[in-house]
Amino acid sequence: MKKLFSEIPTIKGERVTLRAMTLDDADGLRELTEDEEVYRYLPTFLYEKQHDAEYTIRHLYDECIESALILGVYVDGEWCGLAEIYGYRAALHKVSVGNRLLRRWWGKGVSTEVLGLMTKYLLEETDVQIITASTMAKNQASANVMRKNGFRHLSYTVLEKWGYTKPILTEKWVRTGAGYRKKYRFHDQ
């Protein structure tokens, strides 16, 4: 098993590939970060929103690699968004995941495949045994992506500070590896 963040992986699926971004992806990243509709269900403090696209790509793998890993999402070679692995807790073998896509890729199953690829990589190739995710309570499209990938609904309406003026209602999701034994109380049972 690999230690998480020991490498920048390339993860390939049927039509989606997750890999390190290059400066060739700057126009797509700029389009993503400038679309407020994309970020309406996301925290305000995400790394790519703090800098311009070129700076983000140039420094992404030296500034973030110890605490987060952001990969480009490519469908048949075309850049369409970001996949993020963050919040690693080595002692717990736990990490959180998320993704964001250009709006033209919404509703095409890309997010479902991205989450599936990240989950498979984390549980089968690294020492991670617990994967968590948070979604805004209003974001039912993301909730559906979680369910399709075997995530269990752990908690409803948790108030979180995502950089907005007031805490927002989020839902918590979890997926565990086959060898993980701790019992959670799920709300979808």
Side-chain angles (χ1 to χ4, degrees), residues 15-155:
R15 64 184 176 137
V16 172
T17 300
L18 310 177
R19 64 167 175 80
M21 291 192 299
T22 69
L23 285 173
D24 292 339
D25 303 320
D27 289 340
L29 181 59
R30 192 173 300 105
E31 180 184 346
L32 183 80
T33 59
E34 291 174 358
D35 189 338
E36 292 305 316
E37 186 70 13
V38 169
Y39 286 86
R40 73 182 169 147
Y41 292 131
L42 296 169
T44 63
F45 48 76
L46 296 170
Y47 183 80
E48 73 273 8
K49 294 284 279 181
Q50 308 305 310
H51 309 285
D52 66 55
E54 287 82 6
Y55 179 94
T56 295
I57 293 168
R58 270 194 222 100
H59 297 280
L60 192 58
Y61 302 110
D62 58 348
E63 289 183 8
C64 289
I65 192 66
E66 303 223 353
S67 61
L69 178 60
I70 298 174
L71 300 171
V73 175
Y74 304 83
V75 175
D76 299 326
E78 182 180 346
W79 190 92
C80 66
L82 301 173
E84 184 173 12
I85 301 167
Y86 64 97
Y88 182 51
R89 304 289 185 263
L92 300 174
H93 303 281
K94 176 186 171 290
V95 74
S96 295
V97 295
N99 70 79
R100 39 227 178 253
L101 301 175
L102 292 168
R103 200 177 336 169
R104 67 179 165 271
W105 291 98
W106 292 1
K108 298 180 181 194
V110 175
S111 191
T112 300
E113 189 172 344
V114 167
L115 183 59
L117 289 171
M118 286 193 296
T119 300
K120 182 176 184 192
Y121 169 77
L122 290 167
L123 294 178
E124 294 179 9
E125 296 187 37
T126 74
D127 62 344
V128 169
Q129 285 295 308
I130 305 167
I131 305 171
T132 63
S134 297
T135 60
M136 276 193 187
K138 298 186 265 188
N139 189 350
Q140 288 307 299
S142 288
N144 289 336
V145 168
M146 295 291 140
R147 286 183 196 97
K148 288 177 187 177
N149 278 285
F151 278 71
R152 305 296 302 269
H153 205 199
L154 185 59
S155 177

